[in-house]
Amino acid sequence: MKSKTEQLADMQQRREKILEMIREDGTVTVKALTDTFGLTEATIRTDLRMLQQEGHVQRYHGGATLMTGKQNTGAMLLERQTHLEEKQAIGRLAAQHVENGDTVIFDSGTTTTAIAEAISHIRRLSVITTAVNIALKLGGEPGINILLTGGTFKFPTLSTSGEKAASFFENVLAEKLFLATACISPRLGLSFPSETDIKVKMAMIKSANSVYVVADSSKIDKVSMFALPCDWSHIHYLITDSGISPAQVAAFEALGVQVLVAQSALAQKRAV
């Protein structure tokens, strides 16, 4: 039997995972959480009540939603914008791999948004995306054709998801996919706090000739709850920042993944 200290640690870890799920999808039901964790509704409701008291979520009958949802959606703000300098550096490096005439798939997220912000040099481009904010950003650019998938709107990532979003890619052929991830590990692959986007991401991968995973180094050697069911032969590049270690680079390249390292302005200053 676990000690009280171990039980408290498990409870805290579970609540962190619940919050990650809500930050990914915007909302979650008590039933979904009881199914995921195999716990009683009473335990889950206590978890949600504590997360509400901490100011993270707003409870409603049968579930909870992000406290910041309405404000962020109105302002077109992505949830949890961390490691922005590293993501901007990754965006600039990834943008160098976008060429005139390409058909490119952009996943949703802060790092893929940084790529979209860095492709001003492109004059002819076809973009397929689940990201509403990326579609709005690039949609007014001359020469850029936007295809926005259908599906269920997820306000933390300003994106579409679900079966309709996944089915959109059935007959799509793209040169490149820029794929976001919550965590990436040489041993356990790509993983996410929610399973809602797994089918969409797999459909994107199947539609692209070259797959670029874009992830800042804080996500490396981390694991989340739901694994992406594909092997490393489907992933061609990892674009990350200078926080990646030589051992981590070697581990990915041993799997056949080419690692491209972006230098942020902060990292360059430290190197001088």
Side-chain angles (χ1 to χ4, degrees), residues 95-248:
Q96 295 175 22
H97 292 259
V98 180
E99 302 175 61
N100 276 309
D102 274 349
T103 297
V104 175
I105 302 171
F106 281 117
D107 195 1
S108 61
T110 49
T111 310
T112 50
T113 297
I115 305 171
E117 292 170 345
I119 58 172
S120 58
H121 62 291
I122 298 298
R123 294 292 174 266
R124 288 186 301 108
L125 189 68
S126 292
V127 171
I128 306 147
T129 187
T130 57
V132 175
N133 65 312
I134 290 177
L136 288 172
K137 178 167 188 59
L138 298 179
E141 297 292 332
I144 297 184
N145 180 47
I146 301 289
L147 292 173
L148 180 64
T149 69
T152 303
F153 180 64
K154 288 174 48 175
F155 63 80
T157 53
L158 300 176
S159 65
T160 58
S161 185
E163 294 285 350
K164 287 187 178 180
S167 65
F168 187 93
F169 292 97
E170 287 179 0
N171 298 309
V172 168
L173 297 174
E175 277 87 19
K176 293 152 190 170
L177 160 64
F178 293 98
L179 183 70
T181 186
C183 299
I184 180 168
S185 159
R187 188 169 66 89
L188 297 171
L190 279 64
S191 57
F192 305 87
S194 168
E195 60 184 343
T196 55
D197 280 347
I198 297 292
K199 287 184 179 180
V200 180
K201 291 178 187 290
M202 284 302 302
M204 289 177 175
I205 289 170
K206 290 176 182 178
S207 295
N209 187 48
S210 296
V211 176
Y212 295 75
V213 174
V214 290
D216 68 80
S217 59
S218 72
K219 299 178 178 180
I220 296 173
D221 283 337
K222 304 286 178 58
V223 179
S224 195
M225 288 183 65
F226 297 95
L228 192 71
C230 72
D231 58 49
W232 287 109
S233 65
H234 295 95
I235 308 299
H236 306 99
Y237 301 92
L238 167 62
I239 306 182
T240 188
D241 61 78
S242 57
I244 189 172
S245 70
Q248 289 169 332

Side-chain angles (χ1 to χ4, degrees), residues 12 216 263 266:
Q12 184 59 37
D216 68 80
Q263 294 289 332
L266 182 60

Side-chain angles (χ1 to χ4, degrees), residues 85 242 263-272:
E85 190 150 344
S242 57
Q263 294 289 332
S264 68
L266 182 60
Q268 289 172 349
K269 286 178 183 177
R270 288 172 177 166
V272 174

Side-chain angles (χ1 to χ4, degrees), residues 241-261:
D241 61 78
S242 57
I244 189 172
S245 70
Q248 289 169 332
V249 171
F252 284 113
E253 294 195 335
L255 295 167
V257 178
Q258 185 175 344
V259 180
L260 306 174
V261 180

